C-alpha cells in the first residue's frame, strides 16, 4: 500500500496526545513495580529481619542459660554422688541384688531421681603414664590399642546406678581420648538414653568426669604403734563417672518459644506491612496525583498543569519542574501549529492562482503538444499541492483541538454499503469491493468516519488489491463496534509497521508520489479516530494482505424500533 499502516499498538503522532489505542489504565497501587508496594515489602522485610535477629538472640541466650543451669546441677550431683560411692560398697563381694536388698542402690536412685548415673573403675590405669603412652603413640592404630586396654577395664568394672542395665553408657574412642586429655578431666556428651523402667528413649546431656574415687567404706586394717592406732585406707581408684540429665524439657520449652516467636514475628510483619502500606500510600499520594494529572495532559491539553503539592519536598520540586517543561512544550507546539496554519493559508492563494492560470491557458489558447503536456503537469501538481495544504490545515486544527465532531446515530452495515457504492468507480482493473457483517448502531461523525474508511480503502486499491472487504463486528459484549478493511494486497513488511502513522512516512516513496500520496492520510485518520475516543491499527503479512481496524465506542445510541431502521 502506498501509505503507512500501524501495528496493533501504534504510538500517537507528535502533538496528538494520548489516544484511545493506549492500554487500559493500570491499577497503580497493585502493580509489583509500584513504589508503594516496594517500600512496604522493604519495611516488612527489615522488621522481619530485626525480629528474627532479636528472637534468635533471645533463643540462643535462653538455651545457653538453661544449659548452664543444667550443667551446674549435674556438677552438684557429681559432687554428692562421689561422696556416696563409698557407701555403695561396689568393691564388696556381695552381688548387686544383695546391695539392693540393703537399700543402698534404691537410696541412690531416691536421692538422684532425675539423673542418669553410671560409674566405671580403672583400677590398673595410671593417668599420667597413660597420657605419656598416648602422646608417644605415632600411629592411630597404637592409640586405639592403648584405648582398648582402658576400654577392657571399663567394661569389666562398670556399675550402672540409675541407668538401664540393658543399655549402659559408653564412650567412643574419640570421646574417651578427649576425656583422658582434658585438662579439667571433664567433657559433655549427648546421648539418647532409654529410661530405666520403660522403653522410652529420651535425649540426655551427660557430664563425664575422670577422677580418683574412694570406694572403701571403712579402713581395711588398723596398725598400732605404741599408744597410737593408725587406720589403713586403700588408695582411691581412677574412675569415670557419668552424670546425665534429660534435655527433653529444655527442647520442649525452646520449641514452644520458637513457635510463639514465629507467630509473633508473622503477625508483627503483617501489621508492619499494613501500616507501612498505608503510610507509604499517604506519603506518595501527592506523587500519584502529579502522575495522574501528567497522564491526562496531551498534545491537545498542554494548557493544563499538574498540581503542586505544598509539601516542601522533592515531590513539589518535581511538579514545579514538570509544569515548567509543559510550559516550554506548549510554546513549542503552539509555534509549530501557528507556522503550519499560517504557511498553509499563505500557500493556498498562489497555488490557486497557478492552477487557475494553467486551466485558463488550456481553455483559451491553442497550445502545442509539448506546451499542453507542461500545462497539464502544472495543473496536476497544483491540485496535489492544494490537497496537501488542505491536509496540513486539518492536522493543524486537530493538533490545536479545533477538530469539531457532529455525532449522530450510524448503522455500521448501511454506513459501509454507502462508502462502498461511493468508491465503486475507483475499483477498476478487476478490483472488487465487498461488505459483510451485522448492522450495529453506534454514535459518531458520519462525515469524518467516511473520510477514514475512504482513506483505508483508497490505500488498499492503490497497493494493487483485487478484493477489498469492508466488515463490521461487535466487540466487548456490544460496548464497541469494529469497522475493518481487509484486502488481499502485497502486504507490508514488518520493519515499516512501527512508523506507518508518522506524518509524511510512505512505504514506497516513489510510487506513492506518482499516485498522489503525501503520507498524511493515515495521520489524519488517526486524529479523527482519536477524536472519537477510539483506536485504529493495522495487521499485515507480506504476500497475504492487510487488515485495517477502526474500533469505536457504541456511545449513547437511543433504542430504535424496527420502523426507525432504514
Amino acid at each position: 500500500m502506498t501509505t503507512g499502516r500501524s501495528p496493533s499498538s501504534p504510538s500517537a503522532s507528535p502533538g496528538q496526545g494520548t489516544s484511545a489505542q493506549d492500554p487500559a489504565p493500570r491499577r497503580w497501587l497493585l502493580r509489583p513495580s509500584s513504589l508503594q508496594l516496594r517500600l512496604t515489602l522493604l519495611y516488612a522485610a527489615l522488621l522481619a529481619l530485626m525480629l528474627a535477629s532479636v528472637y534468635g538472640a533471645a533463643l540462643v541466650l535462653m538455651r545457653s542459660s538453661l544449659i548452664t543451669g543444667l550443667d551446674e546441677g549435674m556438677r552438684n550431683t557429681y559432687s554428692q554422688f562421689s561422696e556416696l560411692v563409698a557407701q555403695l560398697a561396689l568393691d564388696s563381694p556381695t552381688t548387686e541384688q544383695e546391695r539392693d536388698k540393703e537399700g543402698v542402690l534404691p537410696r541412690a536412685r531416691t536421692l538422684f531421681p532425675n539423673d542418669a548415673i553410671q560409674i566405671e573403675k580403672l583400677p590398673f590405669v595410671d593417668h599420667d603414664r597413660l597420657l605419656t603412652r598416648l602422646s608417644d603413640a605415632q600411629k592411630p592404630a597404637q592409640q586405639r590399642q592403648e584405648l582398648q586396654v582402658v576400654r577392657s577395664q571399663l567394661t569389666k568394672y562398670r556399675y550402672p546406678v540409675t541407668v538401664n542395665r540393658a543399655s549402659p553408657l559408653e564412650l567412643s574412642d574419640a570421646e574417651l581420648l578427649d576425656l583422658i586429655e582434658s585438662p579439667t578431666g571433664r567433657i559433655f556428651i549427648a546421648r539418647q538414653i532409654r529410661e530405666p523402667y520403660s522403653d522410652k528413649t529420651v535425649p540426655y546431656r551427660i557430664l563425664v568426669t575422670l577422677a580418683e574415687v574412694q570406694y572403701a567404706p571403712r579402713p581395711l586394717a588398723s596398725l598400732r604403734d605404741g599408744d597410737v592406732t593408725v587406720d589403713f585406707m586403700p588408695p582411691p581408684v581412677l574412675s569415670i563417672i557419668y552424670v546425665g540429665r534429660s534435655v527433653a524439657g529444655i527442647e520442649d520449652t525452646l520449641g514452644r518459644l520458637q513457635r510463639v516467636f514465629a507467630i509473633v514475628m508473622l503477625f508483627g510483619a503483617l501489621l508492619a506491612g499494613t501500616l507501612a502500606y498505608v503510610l507509604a500510600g499517604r506519603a506518595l499520594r501527592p506523587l500519584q496525583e502529579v502522575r495522574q494529572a501528567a497522564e491526562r495532559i496531551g498534545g491537545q491539553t498542554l494548557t493544563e498543569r499538574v498540581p503542586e503539592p505544598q509539601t516542601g519536598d522533592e515531590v513539589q520540586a518535581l511538579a514545579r519542574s514538570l509544569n515548567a517543561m509543559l510550559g516550554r512544550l506548549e510554546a513549542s507546539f503552539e509555534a509549530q501549529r501557528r507556522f503550519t496554519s499560517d504557511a498553509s493559508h499563505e500557500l493556498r492563494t498562489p497555488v490557486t492562482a497557478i492552477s487557475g492560470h494553467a486551466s485558463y491557458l488550456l481553455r483559451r489558447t491553442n497550445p502545442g503538444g509539448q506546451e499542453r503536456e507542461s500545462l497539464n503537469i502544472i495543473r496536476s501538481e497544483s491540485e496535489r499541492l492544494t490537497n496537501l495544504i488542505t491536509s496540513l490545515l486539518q492536522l493543524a486544527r486537530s493538533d490545536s483541538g479545533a477538530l469539531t465532531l457532529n455525532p449522530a446515530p450510524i448503522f455500521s452495515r448501511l454506513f459501509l454499503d454507502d462508502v462502498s457504492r461511493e468508491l465503486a468507480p475507483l475499483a477498476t482493473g478487476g478490483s472488487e469491493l465487498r461488505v459483510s457483517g451485522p448492522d450495529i448502531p453506534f454514535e459518531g461523525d458520519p462525515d469524518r468516519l467516511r473520510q477514514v474508511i475512504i482513506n483505508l480503502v483508497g490505500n488498499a486499491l492503490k497497493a494493487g488489491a483485487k478484493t477489498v472487504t469492508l466488515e463490521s463486528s461487535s466487540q466487548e459484549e456490544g460496548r464497541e463496534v469494529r469497522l475493518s478493511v481487509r484486502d488481499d494486497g502485497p502486504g507490508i513488511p514488518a520493519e515499516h509497521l512501527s512508523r506507518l502513522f508518522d506524518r509524511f512516512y510512505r512505504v514506497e516513496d516513489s510510487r506513492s508520489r506518482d499516485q498522489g500520496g503525501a503520507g498524511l492520510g493515515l495521520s489524519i485518520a488517526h486524529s479523527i479516530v482519536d477524536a472519537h475516543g477510539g483506536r485504529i491499527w493495522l495487521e499485515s503479512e507480506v504476500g497475504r494482505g492487510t487488515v485495517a481496524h477502526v474500533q469505536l465506542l457504541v456511545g449513547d445510541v437511543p433504542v430504535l424500533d424496527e420502523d426507525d431502521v432504514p
Side-chain angles (χ1 to χ4, degrees):
M1 302 178 72
T2 59
T3 54
R5 295 192 171 188
S6 114
S8 59
S9 297
S11 59
S13 301
Q16 288 180 322
T18 304
S19 73
Q21 305 168 68
D22 296 336
R26 301 184 181 94
R27 298 184 180 275
W28 186 75
L29 294 180
L30 300 180
R31 286 186 294 132
S33 60
S34 71
L35 182 58
Q36 182 179 3
L37 184 57
R38 292 203 303 270
L39 288 175
T40 301
L41 294 177
L42 177 61
Y43 294 152
L46 288 177
L47 180 62
L49 180 62
M50 183 179 66
L51 290 177
S53 301
V54 172
Y55 293 159
L59 287 174
V60 170
L61 292 175
M62 182 166 293
R63 174 183 287 275
S64 176
S65 177
L66 293 174
I67 293 298
T68 300
L70 187 69
D71 293 346
E72 184 64 28
M74 288 190 294
R75 281 192 288 267
N76 293 335
T77 299
Y78 165 76
S79 299
Q80 297 174 16
F81 176 74
S82 61
E83 297 176 356
L84 185 63
V85 170
Q87 301 179 24
L88 296 177
L90 298 176
D91 280 341
S92 65
T94 59
T95 64
E96 186 175 346
Q97 289 77 9
E98 294 174 346
R99 291 196 299 273
D100 285 347
K101 291 179 181 179
E102 296 174 1
V104 177
L105 291 181
R107 188 161 67 91
R109 297 190 182 106
T110 303
L111 291 174
F112 311 106
N114 298 323
D115 301 293
I117 301 175
Q118 177 177 298
I119 186 171
E120 298 172 340
K121 290 198 318 181
L122 294 171
F124 309 110
V125 174
D126 183 272
H127 189 204
D128 294 335
R129 291 181 181 179
L130 180 59
L131 284 174
T132 302
R133 289 197 303 269
L134 289 174
S135 62
D136 292 341
Q138 300 295 326
K139 297 180 179 179
Q142 295 175 344
Q143 285 188 348
R144 286 196 298 270
Q145 185 177 1
E146 294 292 340
L147 294 176
Q148 188 62 33
V149 173
V150 176
R151 193 176 295 280
S152 63
Q153 297 186 41
L154 295 177
T155 305
K156 184 177 180 180
Y157 301 102
R158 175 178 293 157
Y159 306 103
V161 179
T162 60
V163 177
N164 195 318
R165 297 185 182 91
S167 302
L169 299 174
E170 293 183 352
L171 296 177
S172 65
D173 288 346
E175 292 170 343
L176 181 57
L177 184 61
D178 290 341
L179 178 62
I180 294 172
E181 295 179 346
S182 173
T184 61
R186 292 178 177 177
I187 63 171
F188 288 93
I189 62 174
R191 288 289 188 275
Q192 295 288 333
I193 296 180
R194 191 169 64 182
E195 295 182 339
Y197 305 107
S198 68
D199 293 332
K200 185 178 180 181
T201 302
V202 180
Y204 269 70
R205 179 175 172 85
I206 302 172
L207 169 65
V208 185
T209 306
L210 179 64
E212 292 183 343
V213 178
Q214 181 60 255
Y215 286 85
R218 52 187 176 272
L220 296 180
S222 297
L223 298 178
R224 187 174 182 82
D225 185 9
D227 295 333
V228 179
T229 301
V230 178
D231 295 332
F232 175 73
M233 293 291 294
V237 180
L238 187 65
S239 303
I240 298 178
I241 298 178
Y242 301 79
V243 177
R245 286 192 178 179
S246 172
V247 295
I250 295 177
E251 296 297 335
D252 183 63
T253 300
L254 294 177
R256 292 182 181 180
L257 285 176
Q258 287 179 350
R259 290 190 291 271
V260 171
F261 286 167
I263 294 174
V264 172
M265 184 173 66
L266 177 61
F267 279 99
L270 290 176
L271 179 61
T274 303
L275 293 177
Y277 188 82
V278 174
L279 294 178
R282 295 185 61 182
L284 295 174
R285 187 175 302 166
L287 186 60
Q288 183 183 2
E289 294 175 354
V290 170
R291 179 192 63 83
Q292 292 174 346
E295 287 182 349
R296 293 193 300 267
I297 298 175
Q300 299 177 3
T301 56
L302 284 176
T303 55
E304 296 185 13
R305 294 293 183 267
V306 299
E308 291 189 14
Q310 302 303 315
T311 55
D313 55 11
E314 290 81 357
V315 178
Q316 183 178 2
L318 175 62
R320 188 179 298 112
S321 299
L322 285 175
N323 286 332
M325 181 188 68
L326 289 173
R328 294 191 296 270
L329 287 175
E330 180 185 6
S332 175
F333 273 65
E334 183 61 30
Q336 177 186 355
R337 286 195 291 263
R338 188 181 303 111
F339 171 77
T340 303
S341 179
D342 294 345
S344 300
H345 280 291
E346 293 298 328
L347 288 173
R348 184 186 294 272
T349 300
V351 169
T352 302
I354 292 174
S355 177
H357 282 285
S359 299
Y360 175 81
L361 291 176
L362 286 172
R363 292 194 311 269
R364 297 300 179 91
T365 63
N366 189 19
Q370 187 66 35
E371 290 83 359
R372 181 175 296 275
E373 180 180 358
S374 298
L375 290 174
N376 284 326
I377 292 175
I378 292 173
R379 187 175 62 177
S380 175
E381 292 300 320
S382 298
E383 293 175 355
R384 186 195 305 275
L385 189 55
T386 300
N387 293 333
L388 176 60
I389 293 171
T390 302
S391 298
L392 288 175
L393 283 173
Q394 184 170 353
L395 286 176
R397 286 194 296 270
S398 175
D399 292 344
S400 61
L403 183 62
T404 58
L405 299 177
N406 297 310
I410 302 175
F411 292 88
S412 61
R413 178 62 183 267
L414 294 176
F415 173 73
L416 295 179
D417 283 333
D418 190 21
V419 174
S420 176
R421 286 191 297 271
E422 182 178 346
L423 296 178
L426 297 179
T428 59
S431 298
E432 180 183 4
L433 294 179
R434 299 176 181 176
V435 180
S436 64
D439 209 357
I440 302 170
F442 67 99
E443 188 179 43
D445 188 325
D447 295 333
R448 299 292 186 184
L449 293 178
R450 184 188 304 273
Q451 185 179 356
V452 173
I453 301 300
I454 289 175
N455 179 272
L456 297 176
V457 175
N459 287 343
L461 294 176
K462 291 176 184 178
K466 296 302 181 181
T467 302
V468 180
T469 304
L470 282 66
E471 304 172 350
S472 67
S473 60
S474 179
Q475 303 293 323
E476 297 294 332
E477 299 180 354
R479 293 193 298 270
E480 294 180 340
V481 62
R482 179 179 296 180
L483 308 178
S484 303
V485 178
R486 186 184 304 273
D487 66 64
D488 59 355
I492 302 172
E495 61 269 18
H496 296 288
L497 293 179
S498 61
R499 298 189 56 194
L500 292 179
F501 275 91
D502 293 348
R503 299 177 183 182
F504 299 104
Y505 185 81
R506 290 170 292 194
V507 176
E508 299 177 10
D509 188 76
S510 59
R511 192 179 70 177
S512 299
R513 189 181 304 276
D514 294 339
Q515 295 181 352
L520 292 176
L522 285 181
S523 297
I524 295 174
H526 183 279
S527 65
I528 293 174
V529 174
D530 185 53
H532 279 80
R535 58 193 182 102
I536 179 173
W537 74 96
L538 286 87
E539 301 169 355
S540 183
E541 184 177 351
V542 176
R544 299 291 298 274
T546 303
V547 184
H549 298 288
V550 176
Q551 191 154 315
L552 304 166
L553 295 174
V554 170
D556 298 328
V557 180
V559 179
L560 302 177
D561 297 330
E562 294 182 358
D563 297 338
D564 298 326
V565 179

